[in-house]
Amino acid sequence: MGLFSGSGAPLTVAMVNGLTVTVSTAANAPPSSISVAPSSTAEFAYQFSDVPVGSETSCPTSESADVTMPGATTASPTFQLAIGPCGNGTIKVSPVYAGS
């Protein structure tokens, strides 16, 4: 997952595998291989804290993001996403799972 400022500059992101809250059975399951058929979807859940950590006094806020799926060589098109993950941009992610 890449985050970008309003000017398009990349923001620091630290990805961490695994959620610390229960979102759904699929999001909290261990990683596994999935196949995504044409016209189907895949999903993942993410979580972050917007509470400054250590010497942080504020956390940069994104205006857009993109996602590179495991095994992919290119990112998705950029989409609007305004989040401000603290802890040096720490975002916790679930495994990818079949969409509903």
Side-chain angles (χ1 to χ4, degrees):
M1 180 178 234
L3 299 179
F4 304 95
S5 70
S7 68
L11 300 177
T12 298
V13 176
M15 303 304 294
V16 176
N17 290 325
L19 304 177
T20 57
V21 297
T22 299
V23 176
S24 71
T25 302
N28 291 94
S32 63
S33 294
I34 65 167
S35 294
V36 182
S39 300
S40 295
T41 61
E43 301 175 8
F44 71 97
Y46 65 91
Q47 73 181 94
F48 65 92
S49 173
D50 60 359
V51 177
V53 177
S55 62
E56 291 178 329
T57 56
S58 65
C59 305
T61 300
S62 68
E63 289 196 23
S64 62
D66 65 16
V67 174
T68 304
M69 299 306 285
T73 56
T74 58
S76 70
T78 302
F79 54 91
Q80 291 183 338
L81 182 66
I83 62 173
C86 294
N88 200 30
T90 298
I91 301 174
K92 297 175 182 176
V93 296
S94 75
V96 175
Y97 52 94
S100 52

